Amino acid sequence: MVGMSVLRVAAGFAARLNPFKQGFSNGRLLNRTIPKTESAAVRYGSHGKQMFVFKPSDYYDRRFLHLLRYYILLTGIPVAAIITYINVFIGEAELAEIPENYVPEHWEYYKHPITRWIARNLYDPPEKNYEKMMALIEIESEKAEMRRTQMDVRKLMREKGDGPWYHYETMDKSLIDYSPKSTPDN
């Protein structure tokens, strides 16, 4: 380590004596003198200008934005092409007279072809939604009827003084051992 330090000092001293570094305008080409100290190299050991700026890594930010842009374009370009094709070549439905004895499907009432496709393939028909709601109302009404019946049964049990406790046989009193109660301090 000491040898490297000596070499570094010697190289710095030799660089100061180099006449070509000073330029030819001084007129001292053959004069090998040590330059003045105000023109010496400044190295900012611990203060001054920072040579290496510490900053957090933005690798994951750039990776996320790159993948986000990739997947948006991966899905966005085909979807935009399909929507453009549908709007340009198929177009919206026109209102027409309904023929005799023809019942339109629930999805035929929509104007735009994409909305019609969504209503036909993804959403449930209104009849199915109606039946589901009626089944839910029926279940809730059965629950309410069961609660009313339980309330009536409890009310009658309180009024008449009977209940499920009369259906169990009571123990014979001769089987009870009273000896620990007669002498509790033993």
Side-chain angles (χ1 to χ4, degrees), residues 66 69 75 78 102 105:
H66 174 72
R69 183 170 51 247
T75 57
Y102 176 74
E105 295 290 332

Side-chain angles (χ1 to χ4, degrees), residues 15-85:
R16 288 182 187 163
L17 290 178
N18 189 356
F20 297 106
K21 263 188 150 181
Q22 300 296 323
F24 299 113
S25 62
N26 293 342
R28 298 183 301 159
L29 179 60
L30 298 175
N31 189 3
R32 301 187 100 171
T33 59
I34 297 174
K36 296 179 179 158
T37 56
E38 61 263 9
S39 63
V42 179
R43 287 198 165 67
Y44 299 111
S46 63
H47 303 293
K49 184 171 81 172
Q50 286 185 340
M51 302 305 284
F52 183 79
V53 178
F54 292 100
K55 66 176 183 173
S57 172
D58 62 344
Y59 170 75
Y60 291 106
D61 297 338
R62 285 186 288 115
R63 180 174 178 247
F64 170 74
L65 292 174
H66 174 72
L67 289 175
L68 180 70
R69 183 170 51 247
Y70 172 74
Y71 285 114
I72 285 175
L73 292 178
L74 183 70
T75 57
I77 291 173
V79 167
I82 290 171
I83 290 173
T84 304
Y85 174 79

